[in-house]
Amino acid sequence: MGVLNVTPDSFSDGGRLSGPDEAIAAGLELWHQGATFVDVGGESSRPGAEGVAERDELARVLPVVAGLAARGVRVSIDTVKPAVAEAAVEAGACLVNDIRGLRDESMRSVCAQAGVPAVIMHMRGTPRNMQRTPHYRDVVAEVEAFLAERARRALEDGVPSVLVDPGIGFGKRLAHNLALLGATARLSSHGAPLLIGASRKSMIGRLAGRAGPLERLPGTLALNLYAAERGAALLRVHDVAEHAQALAVLGAVAAAERGRAVEERDRVAGARAGSHG
Ligand code: HH2
């Protein structure tokens, strides 16, 4: 999933694009680099961010969603506002990415009525206050239970399918983020595909000598390859070309490993059959 922020203030790429035409061109580039979805967002969720008025968010995202969808791009809409999700889906978005985890009943009904799947993300608090002393007794179990409950409720209300996301950096300290990433295999074992959004986030700066957001690609790749190996289905990233290359190489090596495992199994089975014949 390629990140396309049409905001002035996103934490790593705010203000990069000067208007809809430039945003559409950037989205097309992500698509041609191998993104499965281009995730269009018009409101930053960085820690401390103020909300954006619905009218302003609509004006930012709608021309971009419509322009990309008209060119055959699979667009997801990154919003917490039901009205924005609804208008974006009408303009051609085929996935709703809600960092509030479909908390609003009206968000669930937008997805259900339009028949579009949704991403349910875990967040403690709101972007404004989420990093004020987040505390968990068992972060993995708590996030797991939250995602299961929200997924159950969404499916009951008619949302056709959901992806789940532990919400890296949303109301979590470094140790919480690490515990959640370390539990990728567990979190992806419950049926709903797992999305990981760790791209360029501050945990990488914390782990790697305070590198700034634009210096965090190597750490992002390390986290995402780790997650992909352990079952993450979708990686939300700013650097699509680099991830496409890394995943192609990882996939080829993993396939070779599986091929060797099959050969070994056949060899053992053949030897057993021989000794019994
Ligand atoms: N992270 C961000 C935004 N949306 N959606 C999901 N499902 N998971 C995430 O981890 C996630 C997300 C924050 O990153 P970014 O869009 O780059 O920054 P900003 O919120 O400042 O625009």
Side-chain angles (χ1 to χ4, degrees):
M1 174 182 269
V3 178
L4 187 64
N5 285 321
V6 284
T7 54
D9 56 346
S10 286
F11 80 93
S12 79
D13 56 356
R16 187 173 69 93
L17 304 164
S18 69
D21 289 347
E22 235 178 273
I24 291 168
L28 274 173
E29 195 179 348
L30 297 174
W31 180 248
H32 292 307
Q33 288 172 344
T36 314
F37 293 95
V38 172
D39 191 36
V40 177
E43 177 176 42
S44 173
S45 53
R46 73 185 194 289
E50 297 288 343
V52 171
E54 188 173 294
R55 204 178 21 153
D56 297 339
E57 192 177 334
L58 283 167
R60 287 178 188 174
V61 299
L62 280 189
V64 181
V65 170
L68 288 172
R71 290 166 177 79
V73 175
R74 290 164 63 84
V75 176
S76 87
I77 178 70
D78 184 354
T79 187
V80 298
K81 297 188 183 73
V84 174
E86 188 171 27
V89 167
E90 265 167 31
C94 59
L95 177 67
V96 170
N97 176 20
D98 179 10
I99 62 166
R100 295 183 71 217
L102 300 192
R103 187 179 318 203
D104 279 4
E105 195 189 334
S106 42
M107 194 61 130
R108 299 197 292 278
S109 81
V110 164
C111 298
Q113 274 170 22
V116 292
V119 177
I120 293 180
M121 195 196 80
H122 176 272
M123 169 168 54
R124 257 293 157 77
T126 64
R128 220 177 128 76
N129 64 20
M130 65 190 177
Q131 290 306 108
R132 277 188 216 146
T133 60
H135 175 77
Y136 301 83
R137 266 191 305 120
D138 179 342
V139 68
V140 175
E142 286 171 54
V143 169
E144 195 173 39
F146 170 96
L147 294 175
E149 166 56 20
R150 287 287 168 82
R152 187 189 59 73
R153 183 117 51 102
L155 296 173
E156 260 175 31
D157 286 357
V159 180
S161 61
V162 295
L163 294 94
V164 294
D165 177 349
I168 299 302
F170 285 89
K172 283 132 195 146
R173 294 171 184 275
L174 176 59
H176 301 138
N177 291 322
L178 284 171
L180 287 165
L181 284 161
T184 299
R186 175 170 158 187
L187 294 172
S188 51
S189 69
H190 301 298
L194 186 76
L195 186 155
I196 294 290
S199 185
R200 299 183 183 172
K201 287 194 175 163
S202 64
M203 68 173 292
I204 298 164
R206 299 272 315 275
L207 290 169
R210 310 221 161 263
L214 297 178
E215 301 164 319
R216 295 176 187 160
L217 176 59
T220 301
L221 282 165
L223 291 181
N224 281 333
L225 291 186
Y226 174 94
E229 272 250 285
R230 285 156 184 82
L234 204 56
L235 305 169
R236 183 179 181 280
V237 302
H238 300 84
D239 304 287
V240 170
E242 289 80 355
H243 281 81
Q245 185 184 92
L247 290 171
V249 170
L250 181 72
V253 180
E257 187 185 4
R258 279 197 302 278
R260 271 189 68 81
V262 170
E263 265 174 35
E264 182 59 11
R265 193 194 60 205
D266 291 350
R267 194 187 63 72
V268 171
R272 281 215 191 103
S275 70
H276 287 215

